[in-house]
Amino acid sequence: SLSVILLRHEAEPHDAQPEMSGHFHPKYRQHLRGRMVSRRCFVRTANKLIMPAFGAFTGGMDAGDPAIATACGVKHGEYIDALVPTSRSVACFNLRL
């Protein structure tokens, strides 16, 4: 059977079909050793994947921002994953919204 993954500019919260989108350019931010570290990341839910920006001048929205949660159809108290590519693998940070 053929699986369909929708490609959209911005995630559609009311569509349960699997989809990939951009628009928000998520970044994972964390305090490390007294300073804020920020890395581009993918945001993953059960049926959505939001891609990071790949350009140098495209900014980035915090992966835990309520606008991303709303676009993914995630409610307060639920979780999303911030997937941060590293040189050897992908680090997964589970974010409770």
Side-chain angles (χ1 to χ4, degrees):
S1 131
L2 182 63
S3 295
V4 174
I5 298 174
L6 299 172
L7 304 177
R8 290 197 163 111
H9 174 75
E10 186 173 346
E12 174 56 51
H14 304 294
D15 195 338
Q17 288 188 285
E19 71 176 29
M20 288 176 60
S21 64
H23 184 68
F24 295 106
H25 309 301
K27 284 189 172 183
Y28 177 72
R29 292 179 171 93
Q30 184 174 11
H31 285 292
L32 290 173
R33 297 183 197 112
R35 55 179 263 210
M36 178 65 76
V37 176
S38 175
R39 297 289 182 265
R40 66 183 62 153
C41 71
F42 293 83
V43 167
R44 176 181 65 184
T45 66
N47 62 346
K48 301 198 184 302
L49 183 69
I50 298 178
M51 300 184 311
F54 293 101
F57 303 108
T58 49
M61 181 180 282
D62 189 286
D65 191 284
I68 291 178
T70 298
C72 290
V74 175
K75 296 173 181 41
H76 183 73
E78 295 181 336
Y79 292 88
I80 63 169
D81 292 325
L83 306 173
V84 180
T86 70
S87 61
R88 295 185 182 178
S89 65
V90 175
C92 180
F93 298 92
N94 196 256
L95 305 177
R96 185 168 187 199
L97 304 174

